[in-house]
Amino acid sequence: MRIATTIFLTDETIRPDRLGRELEQRGFAGLYLPEHTHIPASRDTPAPMGEPLPREYGRTLDAFIALGQAAAVTERLALGTGITLVSQHDPVDLAKQVATLDFLSGGRFTLGIGYGWNVEEAADHGVEWSTRRELTRDRVALMRALWAAEPTAYKGTFGSVRASFAHPKPAHGAPRILLGGAAGPKLFGQIAEYADGWLPIGGRGLTETVPVLRQAWSDAGRSGEPVVVPYAVHPSPGKLAHYRELGLQEVVLQLPPAGEAEVLRTLDDFAQYL
């Protein structure tokens, strides 16, 4: 099972180039980064992780720029977002960012996407909260049109693009797309419809939920099985053994949003799981 990591990289933490080198040298499989463009100082939306909202949420580095820096100093380290808030991006610009990072890294990129929790943040991007899921699906379809080998038009409910020359292309036609969110029929139906798998935060309850997702996948006529990558996991030997028993091939461990010394100490501790 591949052992990857995630961290809230900020202006106060270890730098992405230093972290990328250390991860690759130590044998970790990947680095996933979250994003928030900003956190409105006044909001009615309660933070799902509890209040007060941790400091790092309002200080995150741009995930694509940070991953680009990590890609430039590594050769094998997988790179991903966990998650990209697709509804808060212009899809034509985002398609270019994704394709460029995947191309320059030699196909090492995974696009983790999600719907978000912060109503006020989304509103500042012009997002209508009640339709953000449909907007995300529509924008992913538009991006796939731009990643297609030949000029391909797309017309959706929320946007469209003309058949266009759009290069570079992602290294393998399109990056792996994993959808985050809470388990349930609605999310699993959406994964089966347009994603390659699921990023379950924390990795709890997978004994019950993974078979349900696999059934939804099969019912949608998808071949094979959906990828399931437990995300932001606080590891233990028993927990990782359980993931292996479920047939999972990758897990993403949570690093502290800290300076270099503390992050490297945590990597030393996590080395027992490699």
Side-chain angles (χ1 to χ4, degrees), residues 133-213:
R133 292 173 181 266
E134 292 76 15
L135 176 61
T136 297
R137 179 177 57 214
D138 196 65
R139 288 185 170 174
V140 169
L142 189 154
M143 290 193 294
R144 288 190 184 278
L146 289 168
W147 296 330
E150 299 296 331
T152 302
Y154 175 77
K155 185 173 180 58
T157 303
F158 297 93
S160 62
V161 67
R162 297 171 176 83
S164 302
F165 299 106
H167 293 267
K169 300 297 182 184
H172 304 297
R176 183 176 67 163
I177 297 178
L178 303 180
L179 180 56
K186 187 172 185 179
L187 181 76
F188 290 170
Q190 291 161 344
I191 291 171
E193 179 186 356
Y194 71 90
D196 299 302
W198 182 31
L199 274 178
I201 303 299
R204 293 182 179 177
L206 296 183
T207 301
E208 295 76 29
T209 56
V210 167
V212 177
L213 171 60

Side-chain angles (χ1 to χ4, degrees), residues 9 18 25 42 52 64 71 99 199 214 224 229 234 243 245 253 264:
L9 286 181
R18 286 287 299 131
Q25 290 172 4
S42 177
F64 285 91
L199 274 178
R214 288 171 175 166
V229 181
H234 297 281
Y243 295 155
E245 291 170 359
L253 308 186
L264 296 186

Side-chain angles (χ1 to χ4, degrees), residues 28 53 82 104 123 158 202 252:
F28 288 90
L53 185 67
L104 291 177
F158 297 93
V252 181

Side-chain angles (χ1 to χ4, degrees), residues 1-20:
M1 189 167 62
R2 298 187 301 277
I3 307 296
T5 60
T6 184
I7 182 174
F8 277 86
L9 286 181
T10 77
D11 55 328
E12 299 175 328
T13 68
I14 187 173
R15 291 173 55 88
D17 53 342
R18 286 287 299 131
L19 179 57

